[in-house]
Amino acid sequence: MMIKKIITTLLLVCLTVQVNAQNTSNTISTVAPLLMINSDARSAGMGDVGVATTPDASSLYHNAAKMAFNTSQYTVGVNYTPWLKNLVDGLFIGGGSLVNRLDERSSWGVNLRYFSLGKIELFDEQATPTGVENPSELTIAGSYALKLSDYFSMGVALRYIRSDLSIKTLNSDVSAINGFGVDVSGYYQSQERNYGNFNGRIRGGFNISNLGPKVSYTAGNENFIPTRLRLGGGFDFILDDYNTIAFTLETSKLLVPTPPIYGGHDNDDSTPDVIISGKDSNVGWVEGIFQSFGDAPGGSSEELKEFTWSVGGEYLYNNAFAIRAGYFHESEFKGNRQYFTMGGGIKARSFNIDLSYLMNASDVGNPLEKTLRFSISFDLGDIYENF
């Protein structure tokens, strides 16, 4: 039984590592880590920016509003990301998406993502096999995007979330969760203009993702899903008909209450039941969104540390060959995820393949360090001109 408990503990740690970021500082905890893991190789090669990049097969995950600017009638994509490959075999994140541009102003899309923790063999104290478990997470999303003008669109997405971390052979109190989240997003893309020696295009976007109620792995213990605000902007330096250099800057924040700091009751520090700094985080999910902007125990300085930022660049030659690089930064007091990324892509007719690689820049380990991520997409059907 002890071996089973150890396996269960390790499983839960592996699942929450991305959200809690392996740091003992005042980090924000949420469930369903799949919602926070980027499996799009193009975005991953640029420091995980994506809310304001040009449309592609993964638009629905980053910003559904971008679909209205898709240049192909149909875009189909699949991606694959090994997970903790340096520690365990068989863990991966995979998924697929479809974007259909209906007409000059509207598009719809669907997206499926799956997180497999592989097969976990269980043994008792005598090393006798007692069963095999396959914990996993799954999300399915549908979205719609509409151009409100020639340069600005908005999108909405509805996402079903299932997270099954239970070890059934243990008769565990942990059960699967079923929830939903809504995304509301916007995207701006200017017309190409002349700036002297080059042409340029401005991009901007936002996404409030995973708006939805709290869920529970165990009875009586509700948890927030990772509701998140992402803001980004970028500029395309169109040097000539063959060469384009794009830069994108993005920031994000979890719209989830920050845990308060507790102290002792009646001068008894052994009873941590009194909030001495911050606000009570045991609130509803709607109240939690608004509270998240002003509840950090450390005041405004700690609130600012809850914003991550990333920057990415992409060089595109003849719309057929791409080289990418980026950097992602999170405060050392809020998780300490800091890493450089690089990647590339090749396009041949309607076929696109993208790869990315992550190099850790923090003393905190990253599950994706030295991992190659893969994405493949196909552009099919009619071609649309946005302007």
Side-chain angles (χ1 to χ4, degrees):
M1 184 63 68
M2 181 59 67
I3 294 178
K4 294 179 180 178
K5 291 181 179 179
I6 293 174
I7 293 174
T8 304
T9 302
L10 290 175
L11 171 60
L12 295 175
V13 169
C14 288
L15 281 170
T16 57
V17 67
Q18 182 74 11
V19 178
N20 292 327
Q22 300 172 306
N23 195 285
T24 58
S25 298
N26 198 23
T27 54
I28 300 172
S29 298
T30 61
V31 297
L34 175 60
L35 297 172
M36 292 285 287
I37 302 172
N38 178 22
S39 56
D40 168 25
R42 182 192 174 210
S43 165
M46 297 186 286
D48 287 339
V49 300
V51 75
T53 54
T54 53
D56 56 24
S58 295
S59 292
L60 199 158
Y61 172 72
H62 297 291
N63 182 348
K66 295 196 299 182
M67 298 189 307
F69 285 84
N70 209 49
T71 55
S72 299
Q73 183 180 4
Y74 298 99
T75 298
V76 181
V78 295
N79 54 62
Y80 174 79
T81 299
W83 187 255
L84 291 170
K85 70 181 185 66
N86 295 325
L87 299 177
V88 184
D89 293 329
L91 280 69
F92 72 91
I93 299 170
S97 59
L98 167 66
V99 176
N100 174 208
R101 184 159 177 179
L102 298 172
D103 50 40
E104 296 292 337
R105 308 198 71 84
S106 62
S107 296
W108 65 270
V110 293
N111 172 261
L112 182 147
R113 304 179 73 230
Y114 180 73
F115 186 8
S116 172
L117 276 89
K119 293 182 179 180
I120 299 177
E121 298 182 2
L122 303 178
F123 303 85
D124 59 19
E125 287 84 349
Q126 287 73 41
T128 302
T130 59
V132 176
E133 298 285 352
N134 185 17
S136 62
E137 291 191 332
L138 170 73
T139 67
I140 302 174
S143 63
Y144 178 78
L146 177 68
K147 277 188 176 182
L148 303 182
S149 72
D150 289 339
Y151 311 107
F152 180 73
S153 64
M154 290 197 69
V156 62
L158 175 63
R159 178 174 294 105
Y160 165 71
I161 305 162
R162 178 174 174 81
S163 179
D164 186 1
L165 312 184
S166 60
I167 305 297
K168 301 177 181 61
T169 55
L170 296 179
N171 295 319
S172 172
D173 293 333
V174 179
S175 60
I177 63 171
N178 293 276
F180 71 89
V182 174
D183 296 2
V184 178
S185 58
Y187 179 70
Y188 172 82
Q189 180 174 291
S190 74
Q191 192 171 12
E192 182 178 329
R193 295 185 176 89
N194 181 261
Y195 290 86
N197 295 328
F198 63 91
N199 288 351
R201 182 170 51 229
I202 300 171
R203 294 173 280 102
F206 74 88
N207 187 16
I208 305 174
S209 59
N210 305 316
L211 292 161
K214 299 164 75 173
V215 295
S216 177
Y217 286 118
T218 58
N221 185 22
E222 291 188 325
N223 300 278
F224 291 93
I225 63 174
T227 303
R228 181 166 56 150
L229 170 66
R230 298 172 69 184
L231 300 170
F235 189 84
D236 298 333
F237 294 86
I238 305 172
L239 306 179
D240 52 42
D241 291 339
Y242 294 94
N243 298 278
T244 298
I245 300 176
F247 290 102
T248 305
L249 179 66
E250 181 173 317
T251 184
S252 69
K253 184 187 188 305
L254 280 170
L255 303 183
V256 175
T258 306
I261 295 177
Y262 293 92
H265 181 61
D266 293 334
N267 297 320
D268 181 5
D269 291 336
S270 65
T271 310
D273 57 356
V274 175
I275 296 175
I276 61 175
S277 183
K279 298 181 180 180
D280 186 4
S281 59
N282 186 23
V283 297
W285 68 274
V286 175
E287 182 181 351
I289 291 173
F290 294 98
Q291 180 174 309
S292 67
F293 289 99
D295 63 348
S300 59
S301 62
E302 184 176 347
E303 288 290 349
L304 291 175
K305 290 183 175 68
E306 293 181 355
F307 284 86
T308 67
W309 63 268
S310 53
V311 60
E314 178 181 55
Y315 167 70
L316 187 62
Y317 176 75
N318 198 26
N319 199 35
F321 176 74
I323 299 176
R324 307 180 182 108
Y327 175 73
F328 179 94
H329 182 89
E330 180 179 57
S331 169
E332 61 182 313
F333 300 105
K334 293 296 177 177
N336 203 20
R337 288 177 298 158
Q338 299 168 19
Y339 49 84
F340 293 95
T341 65
M342 59 186 298
I346 298 175
K347 179 176 182 179
R349 295 182 180 273
S350 63
F351 174 78
N352 301 269
I353 183 169
D354 297 296
L355 304 173
S356 71
Y357 184 79
L358 185 146
M359 297 162 287
N360 194 28
S362 167
D363 55 2
V364 174
N366 191 302
L368 290 174
E369 184 174 5
K370 299 179 181 179
T371 295
L372 279 174
R373 281 179 271 191
F374 306 87
S375 295
I376 300 174
S377 63
F378 300 87
D379 296 316
L380 308 170
D382 297 333
I383 302 299
Y384 284 88
E385 297 292 338
N386 286 310
F387 308 108

